[in-house]
């Protein structure tokens, strides 16, 4: 198995302290938003098998059957189909959705035919893959996930007592569910920006007056993104607070945003994001409306299911990734980890050992398919692999 050296991405919304605290390093003063573990071309992990540092993507390309296993290779092709991250949000991320597989292929092919450069800031589809994802909280974690019912959203907006929001309240109360959510989101995102900025400012003041966890979250969004129509779009969504060990699964078409906290995130290996707001980046409203699922959803907070081996699994409907964890107490017997699929193991607490390598918080290793491996010692280790 191979100890991984991983890239930390300094996105502006990142916390300056959460990842350094986990790693036991000094903060630099700059945001440290995500640590990537995997073979994504944007920042592949590095390993050294005696000939110097090599990217995990190059190692897999040199022997895909040996590194991934024949079942995973046959199902997903010669690539690692997931990306594992440490995510640390010090400020809200953009409000966004991801396409399903058919939408991603269609959108990618259309932009390729149109000659849109892959690095163009107005490009929507960087690849032809979907991007389901799972976030598991390591600290108290706050986010938005999925539409509330139109009745709940109407109640939230009406309580603000902002005159310019009353037409949206009426739409939410009078129309069928899908039409109500679609019409209000469309109206918010296509309204005159100056008029919308004034409405957002007035709504934020009302949120501060009302207080409570939900309204405080919306007021904070307005503080970070003054005048952004995404603040009103956020009020249509479920506000979710996770405790450490709890998780959220985010499927295609579900609008969401992470607001604050640190977690372990895993996703299909894709860059496809369509933004609704809370961002200075490109927002393609027509394409967004094509992809969003306009239906209320229960956020469905996940708690891991324990097995006799001590492995705690976060069940999801996707096969590109499988996330579980081991929380090992002092004196626990070693756990066999050998699998027919590739694994990345991430330590988040303690000093457990894998195959003779002692891990510290933030350390990760790659275990090739069928490679003999055993977990021992005390601490918490997350395991990322695939279903094949």
């Amino acid at each position: 198995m191979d100890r991984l050296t991983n890239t930390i991405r300094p996105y502006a919304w990142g916390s300056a302290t959460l990842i350094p605290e986990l790693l036991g390093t000094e903060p630099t003063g700059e945001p440290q938003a995500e640590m990537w573990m995997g073979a994504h071309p944007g920042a592949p992990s590095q390993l050294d098998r005696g000939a110097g540092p090599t990217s995990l993507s190059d190692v897999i390309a040199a022997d895909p059957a040996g590194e991934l296993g024949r079942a995973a290779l046959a199902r997903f092709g010669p690539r690692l189909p997931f990306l594992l991250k440490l995510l640390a949000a010090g400020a809200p991320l953009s409000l966004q959705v991801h396409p399903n597989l058919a939408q991603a292929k269609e959108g990618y092919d259309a932009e390729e035919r149109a000659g849109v450069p892959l690095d163009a800031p107005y490009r929507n589809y960087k690849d032809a893959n979907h991007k389901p994802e799972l976030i598991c909280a390591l600290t108290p974690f706050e986010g938005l996930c999925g539409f509330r019912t139109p009745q709940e959203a109407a109640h939230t907006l009406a309580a603000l007592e902002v005159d310019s929001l009353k037409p949206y309240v009426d739409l939410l109360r009078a129309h069928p569910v899908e039409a109500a959510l679609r019409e209000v989101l469309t109206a918010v995102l296509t309204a005159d920006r100056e008029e919308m900025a004034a409405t957002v400012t007035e709504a934020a003041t009302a949120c501060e007056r009302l207080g409570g966890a939900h309204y405080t979250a919306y007021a904070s969004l307005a503080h970070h993104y003054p005048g952004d129509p995404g603040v009103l779009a956020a009020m249509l969504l479920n506000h979710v607070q996770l405790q450490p060990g709890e998780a959220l699964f985010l499927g295609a078409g579900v609008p969401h945003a992470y607001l604050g906290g640190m977690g372990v995130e895993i996703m299909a290996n894709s860059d496809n994001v369509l933004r609704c707001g809370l961002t200075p980046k490109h927002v393609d409203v027509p394409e967004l409306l094509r992809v969003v699922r306009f239906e209320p959803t229960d956020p469905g907070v996940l708690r891991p299911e324990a097995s006799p081996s001590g492995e705690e699994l976060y069940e999801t409907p996707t096969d590109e990734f499988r996330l579980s964890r081991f929380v090992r107490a002092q004196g626990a017997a070693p756990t066999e980890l050998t699998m027919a699929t590739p694994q990345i193991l991430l330590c988040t607490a303690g000093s457990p050992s894998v195959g003779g390598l002692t891990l510290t918080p933030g350390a990760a290793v790659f275990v090739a398919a069928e490679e003999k491996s055993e977990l021992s010692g005390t601490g918490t280790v997350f395991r990322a692999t695939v279903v094949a």
Side-chain angles (χ1 to χ4, degrees):
M1 66 197 63
D2 304 279
R3 191 182 295 274
L4 297 177
T5 300
N6 305 300
T7 297
I8 294 178
R9 311 306 294 262
Y11 304 135
W13 50 261
S15 166
T17 59
L18 286 173
I19 288 179
E21 285 173 3
L22 181 73
L23 300 180
T25 59
E26 285 295 319
T28 63
E30 299 298 318
Q32 298 188 32
E34 296 179 347
M35 185 175 82
W36 288 21
M37 293 156 281
H40 191 285
S45 298
Q46 303 287 309
L47 54 87
D48 190 341
R49 291 183 175 175
T54 306
S55 74
L56 180 56
S57 53
D58 287 344
V59 168
I60 291 171
D63 183 14
E67 303 294 341
L68 302 176
R70 296 195 176 279
L73 176 62
R75 183 156 193 190
F76 303 111
R79 62 186 183 89
L80 191 67
F82 64 83
L83 176 64
L84 184 67
K85 299 179 180 181
L86 273 176
L87 181 147
L93 282 68
S94 61
L95 188 60
Q96 59 188 253
V97 296
H98 306 304
N100 63 31
L101 191 56
Q103 290 165 340
K105 289 179 177 177
E106 183 180 346
Y108 178 80
D109 289 345
E111 290 187 318
E112 286 291 281
R113 288 193 301 269
V116 181
L118 269 177
D119 59 354
Y122 54 89
R123 177 144 185 164
N124 294 315
Y125 297 94
K126 303 297 179 65
D127 53 69
N129 199 17
H130 63 164
K131 193 185 178 185
E133 60 188 51
L134 176 77
I135 183 78
C136 177
L138 293 178
T139 67
F141 195 93
E142 188 176 11
L144 303 168
C145 180
F147 285 112
R148 306 158 79 184
T149 67
Q151 293 77 17
E152 291 171 331
H155 177 77
T156 295
L157 294 178
L160 299 177
E161 297 182 340
V162 173
D163 287 344
S164 53
L165 291 179
K166 289 180 180 177
Y168 302 145
V169 173
D170 293 341
L171 280 173
L172 289 166
R173 286 174 172 167
H175 288 242
V177 171
E178 180 178 345
L181 294 173
R182 179 183 292 275
E183 289 177 24
V184 172
L185 183 63
T186 303
V188 166
L189 296 181
T190 57
D192 179 85
R193 290 300 293 248
E194 288 188 10
E195 293 179 4
M196 183 54 64
T199 298
V200 170
T201 299
E202 193 175 350
T205 300
C207 286
E208 291 173 351
R209 181 186 74 247
L210 291 169
H214 300 336
Y215 286 114
T216 298
Y218 304 137
S220 176
L221 289 177
H223 171 74
H224 286 285
Y225 300 99
D228 193 309
V231 174
L232 297 182
M235 295 184 188
L236 303 175
L237 308 184
N238 296 295
H239 176 236
V240 184
Q241 294 173 299
L242 300 179
Q243 295 305 309
E246 296 180 332
L248 282 176
F249 175 74
L250 302 161
V254 176
H256 61 277
Y258 301 147
L259 305 183
M262 182 166 63
V264 174
E265 185 182 34
I266 189 168
M267 61 187 63
N269 208 344
S270 171
D271 273 339
N272 289 326
V273 175
L274 291 157
R275 295 175 179 86
C276 312
L278 309 180
T279 179
K281 295 182 179 179
H282 175 60
V283 177
D284 184 336
V285 175
E287 187 63 15
L288 172 74
L289 297 176
R290 186 180 79 90
V291 167
V292 171
R293 287 167 45 198
F294 289 97
E295 57 186 51
T297 55
D298 183 333
V301 174
L302 298 177
R303 296 171 181 83
E305 296 290 333
S307 70
S309 69
E311 182 179 26
E312 300 176 345
L313 175 64
Y314 293 91
E315 290 278 5
T316 75
T318 189
D319 292 340
E320 279 93 342
F321 60 76
R322 177 185 184 275
L323 185 71
S324 60
R325 69 174 184 174
F326 298 87
V327 181
R328 295 181 52 82
Q330 186 73 37
T335 301
E336 176 67 31
L337 295 181
T338 307
M339 298 184 76
T341 52
Q343 305 175 64
I344 291 179
L345 305 173
L346 167 67
C347 175
T348 59
S351 54
S353 295
V354 181
L357 296 177
T358 298
L359 305 183
T360 54
V365 296
F366 174 73
V367 184
E370 305 291 357
E371 185 174 358
K372 297 294 183 183
S373 56
E374 186 178 79
L375 175 63
S376 60
T378 305
T380 300
V381 173
F382 283 82
R383 168 154 73 177
T385 186
V386 302
V387 179

